[in-house]
Amino acid sequence: MPTTKPTDVRVTAAEIFFLPVTMRVPLKFGPETVTSAVCLRVRVTVTDQNGKTAQGWGETPLSVSWVWPSSLSVAVRAQRMQDFSMLLAKRLVESGFAGHPMEIGQDFMHGPLAATFKEANAAAGGDEMPYLGSLVAFSAFDIAVHDAYGVLHNRDIYTTYNAEFMSRDLSAFITPEDGSGIDFSGRYPQDYLVMDAPKQLPVWHLVGGVDALEASDLTGSEPKDEHPLLLADWIQRDGLKCLKIKLRGTDAAWDYERMVRVGRIGFAGGVRWLSADFNCTVKEPAYVNEIMDRLLRDEPEIYARTLYVEQPFPYDLEAHQIDVRSVSARKPLFLDESAHDWEFVRLGRRLGWSGVALKTCKTQTGALLSLCWAKAHGMPLMVQDLTNPMLAMIPHVRLAAHAGTIQGVECNSMQFYPDASLPEQQIHPGLFQRRNGIVDLSTLGGPGFGYRAEEVKRELTAAPQS
């Protein structure tokens, strides 16, 4: 494919590293409880038309329980995702796509990614890995290309999402809603970004479904280390002001009681905001409505401080086209798992969803396109975590800072595997520790995402290429 700008690059090499992490305490995803994860780290090399090269990094947890609810064992699903990642490394280099990272990412997702996804599922047989799984695996590569591009041009990547560097405007990527009067011609991602981004963000703590709230919840099997166990201790140590509450979505009495318990403990410690995450398990809007109505009647402060409700309904939005206007009439309702890309955001808006929870694990390219579409159509934004440790944390918080979210960013790797990020924490202490209710981005700097990766003392062994 010919280059159209002297700044264009193509991917000429991709290396893979698998970094296993063990959770300090279990994390419940819907019906599954997770105790470990594998992070996919990718290093890509990009080359411009003059032969100049640069390397960039991308990383994401391969969170199989989140992307792929299934009766297959976690080990089988994890291996499938790792095998798929190895295949992606080959396909990305073979693609030969050239351009800005937004253009390379878009072209790959709409061509080779879909083909590789089908190929891998056909070869494996049995349960198919969902499309979301392919996006999560590709996200590490996509992020790495964005980073490498910034490094090659010695620019912060967020200063390249404009006409100076991109050959295509947003009209080549996204289409406005019919009759909206919106026109993406001549518009670029930078037009929808907060360019004077804050260096500090309010941080959300995840209250997991099996987390101990009070001493009576302790079983004796908890870790013996310096990190908190009880919710009040987390709130006090980290100065937390925002709590995201994981709910079951299948047990209304338990979910209501959980909201009440967390809210009371939180408010006593100075917490200001709550959110409710039903984790895709709810089948009928009435389930959420009845809980919200009961809170409004019996616990009005908890209701008032519930800032939004996150993804109660099954994440296959096309297969489950539920009219959710009754829920969003009560509280802002945010797409998360369903918001694979801007087209799903458009479908969600038609069904009555209020806003979008962006995640870098669905690709930097896709997150930015969803951000632009949502902002143009008046949809508020959040940026949610996939328990991002190590380098994965950095594009995640950068997206939140430039998105202009309704309230900060969720960061929970400090809860579930705090020691996984110690080498990165040495360079960015305010980012990998939550203090005074915030994360601090001020140590990020330099080209690309500002990782300062060369300063991080982490031993890496590349996965062998087949």
Side-chain angles (χ1 to χ4, degrees), residues 27-28 35 58-61 86 141 230 255 267 275 314 336 347-348 403 408:
L27 174 58
K28 200 165 190 302
T35 56
E59 182 180 285
T60 191
M86 300 294 288
F141 296 89
L230 304 180
D255 286 349
F267 298 159
S275 70
D336 181 0
L347 175 56

Side-chain angles (χ1 to χ4, degrees), residues 79-255:
Q79 190 59 54
R80 289 265 299 272
M81 289 194 73
Q82 289 178 229
D83 293 345
F84 181 71
S85 303
M86 300 294 288
L87 193 55
L88 280 182
K90 291 182 185 177
R91 296 290 185 267
L92 179 60
V93 175
E94 290 168 357
S95 74
F97 290 141
H100 183 277
M102 294 289 294
E103 295 154 0
I104 294 171
Q106 174 83 345
D107 290 345
F108 192 85
M109 283 188 281
H110 284 78
L113 180 62
T116 307
F117 167 62
K118 290 178 183 174
E119 174 190 342
N121 272 336
D127 281 16
E128 292 194 348
M129 179 178 72
Y131 175 63
L132 181 58
S134 73
L135 276 184
V136 168
F138 180 60
S139 72
F141 296 89
D142 182 68
I143 289 167
V145 175
H146 283 254
D147 185 51
Y149 184 87
V151 172
L152 189 139
H153 296 297
N154 197 31
R155 296 283 294 262
D156 180 324
I157 188 59
Y158 274 90
T159 67
T160 75
Y161 298 131
N162 51 48
E164 180 185 353
F165 292 93
M166 295 175 63
S167 299
R168 306 176 209 168
D169 63 22
L170 282 171
S171 68
F173 298 90
I174 56 179
T175 305
E177 185 62 277
D178 294 342
S180 65
I182 295 165
D183 186 355
F184 289 117
S185 299
R187 307 280 281 175
Y188 291 85
Q190 191 166 305
D191 295 323
Y192 296 94
L193 295 170
V194 177
M195 293 310 295
D196 185 17
K199 296 295 185 186
Q200 296 182 335
L201 294 171
V203 67
W204 288 77
H205 172 96
L206 176 66
V207 183
V210 293
D211 286 6
L213 303 185
E214 301 166 283
S216 59
D217 297 325
L218 297 173
T219 65
S221 63
E222 292 79 16
K224 309 292 192 290
D225 58 25
E226 74 276 17
H227 302 292
L229 292 171
L230 304 180
L231 181 56
D233 296 334
W234 278 113
I235 293 167
Q236 181 178 21
R237 193 196 74 173
D238 291 359
L240 299 170
K241 299 294 184 286
C242 306
L243 302 178
K244 170 176 165 173
I245 307 168
K246 284 276 192 184
L247 302 172
R248 291 178 177 173
T250 55
D251 184 341
W254 190 93
D255 286 349

Side-chain angles (χ1 to χ4, degrees), residues 317-318 321 342-352:
L317 207 60
E318 289 179 311
Q321 296 198 23
W342 71 270
E343 291 180 274
F344 287 94
V345 174
R346 178 175 63 185
L347 175 56
R349 183 174 178 269
R350 291 172 178 173
L351 293 170

Side-chain angles (χ1 to χ4, degrees), residues 13-19 38-45 56-60 62 79 81-93 137-138 140-141 144 460-466:
E15 293 176 274
I16 283 179
F17 308 84
F18 293 118
L19 307 179
V38 172
C39 290
L40 167 64
R41 185 177 290 197
V42 170
R43 178 167 58 195
V44 303
T45 302
W57 293 94
E59 182 180 285
T60 191
L62 295 177
Q79 190 59 54
M81 289 194 73
Q82 289 178 229
D83 293 345
F84 181 71
S85 303
M86 300 294 288
L87 193 55
L88 280 182
K90 291 182 185 177
R91 296 290 185 267
L92 179 60
V93 175
F138 180 60
F141 296 89
L460 294 171
T461 302
Q465 300 286 317
S466 57

